PDB file of all heavy atoms in Angstrom:
ATOM      1  N   LEU A 213       0.848  -1.174   0.000  1.00 98.00           N
ATOM      2  CA  LEU A 213       0.000   0.000   0.000  1.00 98.00           C
ATOM      3  C   LEU A 213       0.887   1.228   0.000  1.00 98.00           C
ATOM      4  O   LEU A 213       2.021   1.178   0.481  1.00 98.00           O
ATOM      5  CB  LEU A 213      -0.916   0.050   1.219  1.00 98.00           C
ATOM      6  CG  LEU A 213      -2.131  -0.876   1.265  1.00 98.00           C
ATOM      7  CD1 LEU A 213      -2.796  -0.779   2.632  1.00 98.00           C
ATOM      8  CD2 LEU A 213      -3.123  -0.524   0.174  1.00 98.00           C
ATOM      9  N   ARG A 214       0.357   2.315  -0.523  1.00 98.00           N
ATOM     10  CA  ARG A 214       1.078   3.586  -0.510  1.00 98.00           C
ATOM     11  C   ARG A 214       0.189   4.644   0.135  1.00 98.00           C
ATOM     12  O   ARG A 214      -0.891   4.947  -0.376  1.00 98.00           O
ATOM     13  CB  ARG A 214       1.467   4.019  -1.918  1.00 98.00           C
ATOM     14  CG  ARG A 214       2.345   5.274  -1.957  1.00 98.00           C
ATOM     15  CD  ARG A 214       2.772   5.596  -3.386  1.00 98.00           C
ATOM     16  NE  ARG A 214       3.630   6.768  -3.452  1.00 98.00           N
ATOM     17  CZ  ARG A 214       4.950   6.745  -3.326  1.00 98.00           C
ATOM     18  NH1 ARG A 214       5.574   5.593  -3.115  1.00 98.00           N
ATOM     19  NH2 ARG A 214       5.656   7.870  -3.406  1.00 98.00           N
ATOM     20  N   LEU A 215       0.645   5.186   1.253  1.00 98.00           N
ATOM     21  CA  LEU A 215      -0.059   6.244   1.943  1.00 98.00           C
ATOM     22  C   LEU A 215       0.496   7.599   1.531  1.00 98.00           C
ATOM     23  O   LEU A 215       1.683   7.728   1.229  1.00 98.00           O
ATOM     24  CB  LEU A 215       0.071   6.093   3.456  1.00 98.00           C
ATOM     25  CG  LEU A 215      -0.311   4.742   4.055  1.00 98.00           C
ATOM     26  CD1 LEU A 215      -0.163   4.792   5.572  1.00 98.00           C
ATOM     27  CD2 LEU A 215      -1.724   4.350   3.663  1.00 98.00           C
ATOM     28  N   SER A 216      -0.365   8.608   1.546  1.00 96.00           N
ATOM     29  CA  SER A 216       0.053   9.950   1.212  1.00 96.00           C
ATOM     30  C   SER A 216      -0.484  10.925   2.248  1.00 96.00           C
ATOM     31  O   SER A 216      -1.577  10.737   2.782  1.00 96.00           O
ATOM     32  CB  SER A 216      -0.445  10.341  -0.183  1.00 96.00           C
ATOM     33  OG  SER A 216       0.020  11.621  -0.555  1.00 96.00           O
ATOM     34  N   CYS A 217       0.290  11.955   2.534  1.00 95.00           N
ATOM     35  CA  CYS A 217      -0.103  12.984   3.493  1.00 95.00           C
ATOM     36  C   CYS A 217       0.175  14.350   2.888  1.00 95.00           C
ATOM     37  O   CYS A 217       1.322  14.656   2.543  1.00 95.00           O
ATOM     38  CB  CYS A 217       0.662  12.823   4.797  1.00 95.00           C
ATOM     39  SG  CYS A 217       0.380  14.153   5.991  1.00 95.00           S
ATOM     40  N   ALA A 218      -0.862  15.169   2.779  1.00 93.00           N
ATOM     41  CA  ALA A 218      -0.739  16.511   2.234  1.00 93.00           C
ATOM     42  C   ALA A 218      -0.970  17.543   3.326  1.00 93.00           C
ATOM     43  O   ALA A 218      -1.956  17.469   4.062  1.00 93.00           O
ATOM     44  CB  ALA A 218      -1.730  16.716   1.098  1.00 93.00           C
ATOM     45  N   ALA A 219      -0.072  18.499   3.425  1.00 90.00           N
ATOM     46  CA  ALA A 219      -0.181  19.574   4.401  1.00 90.00           C
ATOM     47  C   ALA A 219      -0.714  20.830   3.730  1.00 90.00           C
ATOM     48  O   ALA A 219      -0.335  21.160   2.608  1.00 90.00           O
ATOM     49  CB  ALA A 219       1.168  19.863   5.040  1.00 90.00           C
ATOM     50  N   SER A 220      -1.587  21.529   4.424  1.00 91.00           N
ATOM     51  CA  SER A 220      -2.132  22.783   3.930  1.00 91.00           C
ATOM     52  C   SER A 220      -2.281  23.761   5.084  1.00 91.00           C
ATOM     53  O   SER A 220      -2.013  23.426   6.234  1.00 91.00           O
ATOM     54  CB  SER A 220      -3.477  22.561   3.235  1.00 91.00           C
ATOM     55  OG  SER A 220      -4.439  22.049   4.146  1.00 91.00           O
ATOM     56  N   GLY A 221      -2.719  24.970   4.767  1.00 90.00           N
ATOM     57  CA  GLY A 221      -2.851  26.014   5.775  1.00 90.00           C
ATOM     58  C   GLY A 221      -1.621  26.892   5.778  1.00 90.00           C
ATOM     59  O   GLY A 221      -1.527  27.842   5.003  1.00 90.00           O
ATOM     60  N   ASN A 222      -0.667  26.565   6.633  1.00 83.00           N
ATOM     61  CA  ASN A 222       0.606  27.281   6.706  1.00 83.00           C
ATOM     62  C   ASN A 222       1.749  26.279   6.738  1.00 83.00           C
ATOM     63  O   ASN A 222       2.508  26.222   7.704  1.00 83.00           O
ATOM     64  CB  ASN A 222       0.647  28.186   7.931  1.00 83.00           C
ATOM     65  CG  ASN A 222       1.868  29.088   7.953  1.00 83.00           C
ATOM     66  OD1 ASN A 222       2.408  29.449   6.909  1.00 83.00           O
ATOM     67  ND2 ASN A 222       2.310  29.459   9.149  1.00 83.00           N
ATOM     68  N   PRO A 223       1.907  25.482   5.682  1.00 80.00           N
ATOM     69  CA  PRO A 223       2.875  24.379   5.706  1.00 80.00           C
ATOM     70  C   PRO A 223       4.326  24.784   5.562  1.00 80.00           C
ATOM     71  O   PRO A 223       5.206  23.958   5.795  1.00 80.00           O
ATOM     72  CB  PRO A 223       2.436  23.515   4.522  1.00 80.00           C
ATOM     73  CG  PRO A 223       1.875  24.505   3.555  1.00 80.00           C
ATOM     74  CD  PRO A 223       1.174  25.541   4.406  1.00 80.00           C
ATOM     75  N   LEU A 224       4.608  26.023   5.178  1.00 81.00           N
ATOM     76  CA  LEU A 224       5.994  26.423   4.943  1.00 81.00           C
ATOM     77  C   LEU A 224       6.836  26.398   6.207  1.00 81.00           C
ATOM     78  O   LEU A 224       8.058  26.342   6.134  1.00 81.00           O
ATOM     79  CB  LEU A 224       6.047  27.812   4.307  1.00 81.00           C
ATOM     80  CG  LEU A 224       5.423  27.942   2.918  1.00 81.00           C
ATOM     81  CD1 LEU A 224       5.560  29.358   2.408  1.00 81.00           C
ATOM     82  CD2 LEU A 224       6.066  26.958   1.953  1.00 81.00           C
ATOM     83  N   SER A 225       6.195  26.448   7.359  1.00 86.00           N
ATOM     84  CA  SER A 225       6.925  26.416   8.618  1.00 86.00           C
ATOM     85  C   SER A 225       7.326  25.005   9.036  1.00 86.00           C
ATOM     86  O   SER A 225       8.115  24.839   9.965  1.00 86.00           O
ATOM     87  CB  SER A 225       6.095  27.051   9.736  1.00 86.00           C
ATOM     88  OG  SER A 225       4.910  26.310   9.972  1.00 86.00           O
ATOM     89  N   ILE A 226       6.801  24.001   8.364  1.00 90.00           N
ATOM     90  CA  ILE A 226       7.050  22.618   8.730  1.00 90.00           C
ATOM     91  C   ILE A 226       8.463  22.197   8.346  1.00 90.00           C
ATOM     92  O   ILE A 226       8.900  22.418   7.219  1.00 90.00           O
ATOM     93  CB  ILE A 226       6.021  21.688   8.067  1.00 90.00           C
ATOM     94  CG1 ILE A 226       4.621  22.017   8.584  1.00 90.00           C
ATOM     95  CG2 ILE A 226       6.368  20.227   8.311  1.00 90.00           C
ATOM     96  CD1 ILE A 226       4.463  21.820  10.076  1.00 90.00           C
ATOM     97  N   THR A 227       9.166  21.576   9.287  1.00 91.00           N
ATOM     98  CA  THR A 227      10.512  21.083   9.031  1.00 91.00           C
ATOM     99  C   THR A 227      10.598  19.561   9.058  1.00 91.00           C
ATOM    100  O   THR A 227      11.546  18.993   8.511  1.00 91.00           O
ATOM    101  CB  THR A 227      11.508  21.644  10.049  1.00 91.00           C
ATOM    102  OG1 THR A 227      11.136  21.237  11.372  1.00 91.00           O
ATOM    103  CG2 THR A 227      11.542  23.164   9.982  1.00 91.00           C
ATOM    104  N   HIS A 228       9.652  18.913   9.704  1.00 93.00           N
ATOM    105  CA  HIS A 228       9.635  17.462   9.794  1.00 93.00           C
ATOM    106  C   HIS A 228       8.229  16.938   9.560  1.00 93.00           C
ATOM    107  O   HIS A 228       7.254  17.501  10.062  1.00 93.00           O
ATOM    108  CB  HIS A 228      10.110  16.982  11.165  1.00 93.00           C
ATOM    109  CG  HIS A 228      11.557  17.259  11.433  1.00 93.00           C
ATOM    110  ND1 HIS A 228      12.018  18.515  11.755  1.00 93.00           N
ATOM    111  CD2 HIS A 228      12.643  16.447  11.425  1.00 93.00           C
ATOM    112  CE1 HIS A 228      13.331  18.461  11.938  1.00 93.00           C
ATOM    113  NE2 HIS A 228      13.730  17.216  11.738  1.00 93.00           N
ATOM    114  N   MET A 229       8.129  15.866   8.816  1.00 94.00           N
ATOM    115  CA  MET A 229       6.871  15.173   8.624  1.00 94.00           C
ATOM    116  C   MET A 229       7.121  13.682   8.759  1.00 94.00           C
ATOM    117  O   MET A 229       8.247  13.211   8.568  1.00 94.00           O
ATOM    118  CB  MET A 229       6.255  15.483   7.257  1.00 94.00           C
ATOM    119  CG  MET A 229       5.868  16.936   7.073  1.00 94.00           C
ATOM    120  SD  MET A 229       5.028  17.253   5.497  1.00 94.00           S
ATOM    121  CE  MET A 229       3.456  16.419   5.786  1.00 94.00           C
ATOM    122  N   GLY A 230       6.074  12.963   9.094  1.00 95.00           N
ATOM    123  CA  GLY A 230       6.248  11.535   9.235  1.00 95.00           C
ATOM    124  C   GLY A 230       4.956  10.804   9.508  1.00 95.00           C
ATOM    125  O   GLY A 230       3.866  11.366   9.410  1.00 95.00           O
ATOM    126  N   TRP A 231       5.119   9.535   9.846  1.00 97.00           N
ATOM    127  CA  TRP A 231       3.993   8.655  10.060  1.00 97.00           C
ATOM    128  C   TRP A 231       4.104   7.935  11.392  1.00 97.00           C
ATOM    129  O   TRP A 231       5.183   7.462  11.769  1.00 97.00           O
ATOM    130  CB  TRP A 231       3.902   7.604   8.943  1.00 97.00           C
ATOM    131  CG  TRP A 231       3.605   8.195   7.605  1.00 97.00           C
ATOM    132  CD1 TRP A 231       4.498   8.625   6.674  1.00 97.00           C
ATOM    133  CD2 TRP A 231       2.309   8.425   7.052  1.00 97.00           C
ATOM    134  NE1 TRP A 231       3.846   9.106   5.571  1.00 97.00           N
ATOM    135  CE2 TRP A 231       2.492   8.997   5.773  1.00 97.00           C
ATOM    136  CE3 TRP A 231       1.011   8.199   7.507  1.00 97.00           C
ATOM    137  CZ2 TRP A 231       1.429   9.343   4.950  1.00 97.00           C
ATOM    138  CZ3 TRP A 231      -0.050   8.551   6.692  1.00 97.00           C
ATOM    139  CH2 TRP A 231       0.165   9.109   5.430  1.00 97.00           C
ATOM    140  N   TYR A 232       2.993   7.863  12.093  1.00 97.00           N
ATOM    141  CA  TYR A 232       2.833   7.045  13.278  1.00 97.00           C
ATOM    142  C   TYR A 232       1.697   6.071  13.030  1.00 97.00           C
ATOM    143  O   TYR A 232       0.923   6.233  12.089  1.00 97.00           O
ATOM    144  CB  TYR A 232       2.507   7.905  14.504  1.00 97.00           C
ATOM    145  CG  TYR A 232       3.648   8.751  15.012  1.00 97.00           C
ATOM    146  CD1 TYR A 232       4.007   9.939  14.376  1.00 97.00           C
ATOM    147  CD2 TYR A 232       4.359   8.369  16.150  1.00 97.00           C
ATOM    148  CE1 TYR A 232       5.047  10.718  14.848  1.00 97.00           C
ATOM    149  CE2 TYR A 232       5.403   9.155  16.633  1.00 97.00           C
ATOM    150  CZ  TYR A 232       5.737  10.327  15.977  1.00 97.00           C
ATOM    151  OH  TYR A 232       6.772  11.092  16.467  1.00 97.00           O
ATOM    152  N   ARG A 233       1.602   5.081  13.874  1.00 98.00           N
ATOM    153  CA  ARG A 233       0.475   4.164  13.778  1.00 98.00           C
ATOM    154  C   ARG A 233       0.026   3.747  15.167  1.00 98.00           C
ATOM    155  O   ARG A 233       0.792   3.774  16.120  1.00 98.00           O
ATOM    156  CB  ARG A 233       0.819   2.931  12.938  1.00 98.00           C
ATOM    157  CG  ARG A 233       1.791   1.957  13.591  1.00 98.00           C
ATOM    158  CD  ARG A 233       2.160   0.857  12.615  1.00 98.00           C
ATOM    159  NE  ARG A 233       2.939  -0.205  13.246  1.00 98.00           N
ATOM    160  CZ  ARG A 233       3.477  -1.230  12.599  1.00 98.00           C
ATOM    161  NH1 ARG A 233       3.321  -1.337  11.276  1.00 98.00           N
ATOM    162  NH2 ARG A 233       4.166  -2.145  13.256  1.00 98.00           N
ATOM    163  N   GLN A 234      -1.231   3.351  15.261  1.00 98.00           N
ATOM    164  CA  GLN A 234      -1.787   2.903  16.524  1.00 98.00           C
ATOM    165  C   GLN A 234      -2.771   1.767  16.269  1.00 98.00           C
ATOM    166  O   GLN A 234      -3.767   1.947  15.573  1.00 98.00           O
ATOM    167  CB  GLN A 234      -2.485   4.045  17.262  1.00 98.00           C
ATOM    168  CG  GLN A 234      -2.953   3.669  18.655  1.00 98.00           C
ATOM    169  CD  GLN A 234      -3.376   4.874  19.472  1.00 98.00           C
ATOM    170  OE1 GLN A 234      -3.648   5.936  18.927  1.00 98.00           O
ATOM    171  NE2 GLN A 234      -3.426   4.705  20.777  1.00 98.00           N
ATOM    172  N   ALA A 235      -2.461   0.619  16.838  1.00 97.00           N
ATOM    173  CA  ALA A 235      -3.341  -0.532  16.763  1.00 97.00           C
ATOM    174  C   ALA A 235      -4.252  -0.547  17.986  1.00 97.00           C
ATOM    175  O   ALA A 235      -3.922   0.042  19.021  1.00 97.00           O
ATOM    176  CB  ALA A 235      -2.519  -1.817  16.698  1.00 97.00           C
ATOM    177  N   PRO A 236      -5.394  -1.211  17.896  1.00 92.00           N
ATOM    178  CA  PRO A 236      -6.307  -1.274  19.046  1.00 92.00           C
ATOM    179  C   PRO A 236      -5.616  -1.809  20.287  1.00 92.00           C
ATOM    180  O   PRO A 236      -4.931  -2.832  20.231  1.00 92.00           O
ATOM    181  CB  PRO A 236      -7.404  -2.231  18.567  1.00 92.00           C
ATOM    182  CG  PRO A 236      -7.404  -2.082  17.085  1.00 92.00           C
ATOM    183  CD  PRO A 236      -5.956  -1.902  16.720  1.00 92.00           C
ATOM    184  N   GLY A 237      -5.784  -1.108  21.402  1.00 94.00           N
ATOM    185  CA  GLY A 237      -5.200  -1.529  22.657  1.00 94.00           C
ATOM    186  C   GLY A 237      -3.724  -1.249  22.807  1.00 94.00           C
ATOM    187  O   GLY A 237      -3.128  -1.650  23.818  1.00 94.00           O
ATOM    188  N   LYS A 238      -3.117  -0.581  21.840  1.00 96.00           N
ATOM    189  CA  LYS A 238      -1.697  -0.279  21.896  1.00 96.00           C
ATOM    190  C   LYS A 238      -1.465   1.223  21.827  1.00 96.00           C
ATOM    191  O   LYS A 238      -2.329   1.982  21.390  1.00 96.00           O
ATOM    192  CB  LYS A 238      -0.952  -0.965  20.752  1.00 96.00           C
ATOM    193  CG  LYS A 238      -1.045  -2.479  20.759  1.00 96.00           C
ATOM    194  CD  LYS A 238      -0.203  -3.097  19.666  1.00 96.00           C
ATOM    195  CE  LYS A 238       1.278  -2.886  19.919  1.00 96.00           C
ATOM    196  NZ  LYS A 238       2.120  -3.572  18.892  1.00 96.00           N
ATOM    197  N   HIS A 239      -0.293   1.632  22.278  1.00 96.00           N
ATOM    198  CA  HIS A 239       0.074   3.038  22.203  1.00 96.00           C
ATOM    199  C   HIS A 239       0.521   3.401  20.794  1.00 96.00           C
ATOM    200  O   HIS A 239       0.928   2.549  20.005  1.00 96.00           O
ATOM    201  CB  HIS A 239       1.195   3.345  23.199  1.00 96.00           C
ATOM    202  CG  HIS A 239       0.771   3.308  24.625  1.00 96.00           C
ATOM    203  ND1 HIS A 239       0.905   2.190  25.409  1.00 96.00           N
ATOM    204  CD2 HIS A 239       0.211   4.259  25.416  1.00 96.00           C
ATOM    205  CE1 HIS A 239       0.446   2.444  26.619  1.00 96.00           C
ATOM    206  NE2 HIS A 239       0.029   3.688  26.648  1.00 96.00           N
ATOM    207  N   ARG A 240       0.437   4.681  20.497  1.00 95.00           N
ATOM    208  CA  ARG A 240       0.918   5.176  19.227  1.00 95.00           C
ATOM    209  C   ARG A 240       2.418   4.954  19.114  1.00 95.00           C
ATOM    210  O   ARG A 240       3.159   5.177  20.069  1.00 95.00           O
ATOM    211  CB  ARG A 240       0.587   6.668  19.108  1.00 95.00           C
ATOM    212  CG  ARG A 240       0.995   7.326  17.807  1.00 95.00           C
ATOM    213  CD  ARG A 240       0.695   8.810  17.869  1.00 95.00           C
ATOM    214  NE  ARG A 240       1.455   9.463  18.922  1.00 95.00           N
ATOM    215  CZ  ARG A 240       1.225  10.694  19.366  1.00 95.00           C
ATOM    216  NH1 ARG A 240       0.235  11.407  18.841  1.00 95.00           N
ATOM    217  NH2 ARG A 240       1.970  11.205  20.328  1.00 95.00           N
ATOM    218  N   GLU A 241       2.884   4.538  17.948  1.00 96.00           N
ATOM    219  CA  GLU A 241       4.296   4.289  17.753  1.00 96.00           C
ATOM    220  C   GLU A 241       4.789   4.913  16.452  1.00 96.00           C
ATOM    221  O   GLU A 241       4.055   5.016  15.474  1.00 96.00           O
ATOM    222  CB  GLU A 241       4.596   2.785  17.757  1.00 96.00           C
ATOM    223  CG  GLU A 241       3.870   1.999  16.684  1.00 96.00           C
ATOM    224  CD  GLU A 241       4.091   0.503  16.808  1.00 96.00           C
ATOM    225  OE1 GLU A 241       4.846   0.076  17.710  1.00 96.00           O
ATOM    226  OE2 GLU A 241       3.510  -0.253  15.992  1.00 96.00           O
ATOM    227  N   LEU A 242       6.038   5.298  16.460  1.00 96.00           N
ATOM    228  CA  LEU A 242       6.664   5.898  15.293  1.00 96.00           C
ATOM    229  C   LEU A 242       6.855   4.868  14.196  1.00 96.00           C
ATOM    230  O   LEU A 242       7.264   3.736  14.462  1.00 96.00           O
ATOM    231  CB  LEU A 242       8.016   6.500  15.673  1.00 96.00           C
ATOM    232  CG  LEU A 242       8.887   7.011  14.523  1.00 96.00           C
ATOM    233  CD1 LEU A 242       8.285   8.283  13.935  1.00 96.00           C
ATOM    234  CD2 LEU A 242      10.308   7.269  15.004  1.00 96.00           C
ATOM    235  N   VAL A 243       6.578   5.258  12.959  1.00 98.00           N
ATOM    236  CA  VAL A 243       6.822   4.411  11.805  1.00 98.00           C
ATOM    237  C   VAL A 243       8.012   4.934  11.009  1.00 98.00           C
ATOM    238  O   VAL A 243       8.984   4.217  10.769  1.00 98.00           O
ATOM    239  CB  VAL A 243       5.581   4.318  10.900  1.00 98.00           C
ATOM    240  CG1 VAL A 243       5.889   3.505   9.647  1.00 98.00           C
ATOM    241  CG2 VAL A 243       4.416   3.703  11.668  1.00 98.00           C
ATOM    242  N   ALA A 244       7.942   6.188  10.579  1.00 97.00           N
ATOM    243  CA  ALA A 244       9.008   6.773   9.779  1.00 97.00           C
ATOM    244  C   ALA A 244       8.884   8.285   9.795  1.00 97.00           C
ATOM    245  O   ALA A 244       7.783   8.819   9.924  1.00 97.00           O
ATOM    246  CB  ALA A 244       8.962   6.264   8.335  1.00 97.00           C
ATOM    247  N   THR A 245      10.013   8.978   9.657  1.00 96.00           N
ATOM    248  CA  THR A 245      10.016  10.438   9.608  1.00 96.00           C
ATOM    249  C   THR A 245      10.952  10.924   8.517  1.00 96.00           C
ATOM    250  O   THR A 245      11.887  10.223   8.113  1.00 96.00           O
ATOM    251  CB  THR A 245      10.453  11.067  10.946  1.00 96.00           C
ATOM    252  OG1 THR A 245      11.820  10.735  11.217  1.00 96.00           O
ATOM    253  CG2 THR A 245       9.579  10.574  12.090  1.00 96.00           C
ATOM    254  N   MET A 246      10.700  12.132   8.063  1.00 94.00           N
ATOM    255  CA  MET A 246      11.560  12.780   7.076  1.00 94.00           C
ATOM    256  C   MET A 246      11.638  14.268   7.378  1.00 94.00           C
ATOM    257  O   MET A 246      10.625  14.910   7.626  1.00 94.00           O
ATOM    258  CB  MET A 246      11.049  12.550   5.662  1.00 94.00           C
ATOM    259  CG  MET A 246      11.781  13.367   4.598  1.00 94.00           C
ATOM    260  SD  MET A 246      11.308  12.948   2.908  1.00 94.00           S
ATOM    261  CE  MET A 246      12.419  11.559   2.620  1.00 94.00           C
ATOM    262  N   SER A 247      12.843  14.827   7.337  1.00 92.00           N
ATOM    263  CA  SER A 247      13.039  16.252   7.503  1.00 92.00           C
ATOM    264  C   SER A 247      13.052  16.932   6.142  1.00 92.00           C
ATOM    265  O   SER A 247      13.162  16.273   5.103  1.00 92.00           O
ATOM    266  CB  SER A 247      14.347  16.537   8.239  1.00 92.00           C
ATOM    267  OG  SER A 247      15.460  16.266   7.402  1.00 92.00           O
ATOM    268  N   VAL A 248      12.962  18.263   6.139  1.00 87.00           N
ATOM    269  CA  VAL A 248      12.996  19.000   4.880  1.00 87.00           C
ATOM    270  C   VAL A 248      14.343  18.861   4.195  1.00 87.00           C
ATOM    271  O   VAL A 248      14.442  19.067   2.978  1.00 87.00           O
ATOM    272  CB  VAL A 248      12.661  20.490   5.094  1.00 87.00           C
ATOM    273  CG1 VAL A 248      11.219  20.648   5.544  1.00 87.00           C
ATOM    274  CG2 VAL A 248      13.610  21.129   6.099  1.00 87.00           C
TER     275      VAL A 248
END
């Protein structure tokens, strides 16, 4: 699968973006990140 994330509003200030995931009954966990 390929997920996509689009930022809008005031995105020029963003320096890092990434993905987290959360399964039922579990805490949110980091998947991957990317800096500008």
